[in-house]
Amino acid sequence: MTYQTQTGVAIMPVNRREFLKKSVSFGACSMALASGLLKSDPAHAEWLAEQFARHKLEETLKTLFKDAKITESDKIDIQIPQIAENGAVVPITVTSRLDGVENISILVEKNPVPLAARFDLSPELELSVSTRLKMAETSDVIVIVQAGNNLYSARQTVKVTIGGCGG
């Protein structure tokens, strides 16, 4: 049974049984949330900062990719400003014409923590990722793409006029 108001909006009255069920459900969820039974999982990004802190670029590459060979590729396109007026917000877009891309890692060579971002992707997707980087100083930005069992890289130097990372 529905009723129409003067504005033409249809409303459906809630019977007592539905009202009680919804009230009990809402109350139970509120109690569970307040008592800590319902809570979100913690973000797991912090381990990257701890694991790669104070590592140089070579050590970070070895930790991420072991001793795998990384081949330079012209099939990776990096869209990033050559001069960044503010190192705290440097936009970057990475696209690739490689087949079967599984993940992309973006590293900033001279940052205190070189690994800036890592994206795990489905190989069926058309590859394009965008983010904003923090850069401590003028540095090479290195993109490493894993496609199958192979690693490919591209790099571009970005001059930073105002630094964005603390030491």
Side-chain angles (χ1 to χ4, degrees):
M1 174 184 296
T2 60
Y3 298 103
Q4 290 215 351
T5 63
Q6 290 178 343
T7 60
V9 176
I11 59 170
M12 185 176 247
V14 177
N15 63 30
R16 192 174 96 196
R17 187 173 289 159
E18 287 182 42
F19 176 76
L20 289 173
K21 283 184 358 185
K22 290 180 181 178
S23 296
V24 169
S25 295
F26 180 73
C29 287
S30 297
M31 292 289 285
L33 187 62
S35 67
L37 293 175
L38 293 178
K39 58 183 174 182
S40 63
D41 289 334
H44 296 289
E46 190 174 329
W47 72 271
L48 290 175
E50 292 171 4
Q51 184 175 357
F52 298 115
R54 297 187 186 94
H55 282 228
K56 299 291 182 203
L57 178 65
E58 295 79 24
E59 293 169 339
T60 302
L61 290 172
K62 188 170 184 169
T63 302
L64 287 172
F65 306 112
K66 311 292 182 248
D67 291 320
K69 180 183 175 195
I70 301 173
T71 307
E72 285 193 37
S73 175
D74 61 351
K75 292 186 177 184
I76 301 169
D77 298 316
I78 303 172
Q79 295 175 353
I80 192 168
Q82 291 181 352
I83 299 174
E85 291 183 19
N86 184 353
V89 286
V90 182
I92 181 172
T93 299
V94 177
T95 56
S96 175
R97 297 178 307 279
L98 294 167
D99 292 327
V101 173
E102 296 173 16
N103 65 54
I104 298 174
S105 299
I106 301 174
L107 299 103
V108 181
E109 183 177 29
K110 293 184 181 176
N111 272 7
V113 179
L115 182 62
R118 184 173 170 107
F119 301 91
D120 292 321
L121 305 167
S122 173
E124 296 84 28
L125 296 176
E126 181 178 334
L127 180 73
S128 178
V129 297
S130 295
T131 190
R132 294 182 185 270
L133 304 176
K134 283 189 173 187
M135 297 182 65
E137 59 185 285
T138 298
S139 178
D140 280 354
V141 173
I142 304 158
V143 174
I144 299 177
V145 175
Q146 181 179 354
N149 293 327
N150 299 317
L151 297 172
Y152 302 95
S153 71
R155 71 172 56 215
Q156 185 168 331
T157 302
V158 177
K159 293 184 180 185
V160 176
T161 58
I162 301 173
C165 292

